[in-house]
Amino acid sequence: MSGMYDQPPSSDVPESSMSAYPSVGRGRPMGRAVDPVGFLNAGEQRAREMQVEIETVKLLRQDVISCYRKEGVNHYQNCREYVDAYVAAISDPDLLNPKQRQGRIEKGGGGD
């Protein structure tokens, strides 16, 4: 197979102490941003957060697949918690539509 389902090598990754950049909108409907550096930093932060969410979904999917293979015919009962976590992650509307998240953040209506 492609190796997607193989167990990744274990590595100790230290926790990051970096804080997120604050969300900065353009400030103007057209033209240059009021704070171009802040605008670019906020865009990069959104891209990093999106990539983390995508990788989290991939890991949850791998957990579901490995549980299905391990449990066999009993996977409906024994893998329920993995499936629930996976469905909750992929049902997040921000994951499916990143522009919706960006609009909500720029309006100040949400974001973690």
Side-chain angles (χ1 to χ4, degrees):
M1 286 222 166
S2 66
M4 177 180 157
Y5 306 110
D6 296 341
Q7 290 294 330
S10 63
S11 64
D12 296 328
V13 178
E15 289 293 321
S16 175
S17 63
M18 295 178 60
S19 61
Y21 290 107
S23 177
V24 177
R26 279 195 185 271
R28 299 180 189 143
M30 297 181 65
R32 301 181 85 177
V34 175
D35 180 14
V37 174
F39 181 73
L40 291 175
N41 285 339
E44 290 175 359
Q45 179 70 26
R46 283 191 297 272
R48 283 190 292 272
E49 290 172 359
M50 191 67 185
Q51 189 63 35
V52 167
E53 289 181 7
I54 289 170
E55 293 300 321
T56 302
V57 169
K58 286 181 182 179
L59 290 173
L60 290 171
R61 184 172 184 264
Q62 288 177 1
D63 290 344
V64 169
I65 290 170
S66 65
C67 184
Y68 276 15
R69 289 182 177 171
K70 182 178 84 172
E71 296 298 334
V73 296
N74 296 326
H75 71 272
Y76 287 114
Q77 296 159 350
N78 298 339
C79 299
R80 189 69 174 163
E81 60 190 36
Y82 296 112
V83 173
D84 289 342
Y86 178 68
V87 168
I90 64 171
S91 298
D92 184 14
D94 293 338
L95 182 67
L96 301 175
N97 190 0
K99 289 186 179 188
Q100 180 183 8
R101 167 191 283 177
Q102 181 179 358
R104 239 189 4 253
I105 290 174
E106 288 176 357
K107 291 178 186 173
D112 295 327

